Amino acid sequence: MNIGIIGTGSIGTVLTESFITSHTIPPESLYVYNRSIEKAYRLQKSFPGIHVCQNVKQVAEQTQLLFISVRQPDLKPLLESIAPYVTADHCLISTASAVSTAQMESVLPCSCARVIPAVTNTVSAGGILYSFGDSCGIDWQKKIIRLLNNLAGASFETNDEMIRAASDLTGCGPAFFSKMANMYAKEAMKYGLTDEEAEKMSVHMMIGLGELLKKKNWSLEMLTERTAAKGGVTGRGILVIEEFAGDLFSSLCKMTQQKAAEDRKEASATFGIDTSIRQD
């Protein structure tokens, strides 16, 4: 099966790298297009064998499954431009978390789905999110789930209500926790570590943490309990986190939910279909 990717920014690049490094499809089965064609050719240099298309019509004619990875304001015009070239045999997948499959289906005559990848997928790890539109038949659903399970450590079905919180954990999480690890390392430097030492120790701590969770099959709570001996240094550190970090994560989640609400409102106005999450 040939796969198309429209939009070769950060998410489109993650998808391209994930497909190829996981050996899910050969490069020759991947067709990419970007409005700034030079960006698509740069991606082709990194992954020889992929095809660069000159327009969306060419992508639709060469592929059956298309991933659309463009900015939300550009999504509806792009869907409208490609609609004449897709048929009921196609499936289009958007990576825009705030645009519902129902909104996509209002423009397209084919199966629609939504997938939210993560940078961790480039090493066939981490989580990847998906949801299917009413138009997406069981055959396409099975194909997409098999595809996603090759790209990531785990795939999770979501809906409009939970997708922002889920995306915070799987998609934003690597950036959030990397930022906090870096800040933690900078603080440790005040007590004698060099920048290089603190960076290396933090990186290997995170690698080791992932391997431990994977091989021991521990829960996060279990790992905390096994590491923090009662009355020890780690235990005291946990008390500090419990006292101060709650407000941090509360503010973080409130901010991302607020941004999601703004994006959904914008999508509703653009598509003329309101899929806002009602708050009781």
Side-chain angles (χ1 to χ4, degrees):
M1 177 175 62
N2 290 338
I3 294 176
I5 296 177
I6 296 178
T8 59
S10 58
I11 296 178
T13 298
V14 163
L15 284 169
T16 301
E17 187 173 351
S18 299
F19 279 127
I20 294 175
T21 58
S22 66
H23 305 290
T24 299
I25 60 170
E28 293 77 16
S29 295
L30 196 59
Y31 292 75
V32 303
Y33 167 75
N34 195 76
R35 184 170 55 183
S36 300
I37 201 69
E38 296 81 8
K39 291 182 67 175
Y41 281 120
R42 285 200 297 270
L43 192 61
Q44 187 184 50
K45 287 183 179 180
S46 298
F47 303 102
I50 67 174
H51 304 275
V52 173
C53 297
Q54 301 301 309
N55 50 59
V56 296
K57 178 175 182 289
Q58 187 179 0
V59 183
E61 290 175 343
Q62 296 296 328
T63 65
Q64 296 79 47
L65 180 64
L66 289 84
F67 287 80
I68 313 297
S69 301
V70 299
R71 295 172 59 254
Q72 182 174 306
D74 299 327
L75 182 56
K76 188 183 181 186
L78 192 147
L79 296 181
E80 290 172 336
S81 70
I82 202 171
Y85 310 116
V86 298
T87 69
D89 294 328
H90 283 87
C91 181
L92 263 69
I93 297 177
S94 168
T95 62
S97 63
V99 176
S100 70
T101 52
Q103 289 167 335
M104 295 174 62
E105 290 168 337
S106 71
V107 178
L108 298 169
C110 64
S111 295
C112 295
R114 179 172 53 187
V115 166
I116 311 300
V119 68
T120 48
N121 301 157
T122 59
V123 290
S124 302
I128 192 166
L129 310 178
Y130 67 90
S131 58
F132 299 121
D134 293 338
S135 61
C136 195
I138 190 66
D139 287 342
W140 268 121
Q141 291 184 29
K142 289 180 178 178
K143 288 179 182 178
I144 291 169
I145 290 173
R146 284 198 299 268
L147 195 71
L148 299 183
N149 285 336
N150 284 335
L151 298 186
S155 60
F156 302 95
E157 187 170 9
T158 63
N159 55 38
D160 289 337
E161 185 174 3
M162 65 182 281
I163 192 167
R164 181 64 263 158
S167 185
D168 284 354
L169 293 174
T170 61
C172 302
F176 291 160
F177 281 89
S178 294
K179 179 65 174 179
M180 286 186 283
N182 189 44
M183 292 174 68
Y184 186 17
K186 297 296 185 186
E187 191 67 25
M189 288 171 55
K190 297 178 180 179
Y191 300 91
L193 292 175
T194 66
D195 189 11
E196 183 179 5
E197 288 170 338
E199 170 97 4
K200 284 185 177 180
M201 290 177 186
S202 295
V203 167
H204 283 283
M205 177 274 293
M206 295 181 74
I207 293 172
L209 175 61
E211 288 295 316
L212 188 61
L213 289 167
K214 182 177 179 180
K215 293 179 180 178
K216 291 283 191 178
N217 199 28
W218 287 348
S219 68
L220 295 176
E221 184 176 0
M222 188 184 302
L223 188 144
T224 302
E225 292 174 352
R226 294 289 296 269
T227 307
K230 188 175 181 179
V233 173
T234 305
R236 289 197 179 186
I238 293 295
L239 293 176
V240 174
I241 292 173
E242 290 175 342
E243 181 177 357
F244 295 104
D247 290 341
L248 166 65
F249 290 110
S250 176
S251 298
L252 179 61
C253 289
K254 285 179 181 177
M255 182 278 297
T256 59
Q257 290 293 330
Q258 180 182 345
K259 179 62 168 65
E262 294 170 358
D263 290 343
R264 284 193 296 267
K265 183 177 180 180
E266 180 184 82
S268 295
T270 300
F271 284 85
I273 297 176
D274 187 4
T275 57
S276 300
I277 306 301
R278 299 289 192 268
Q279 301 293 336
D280 295 331

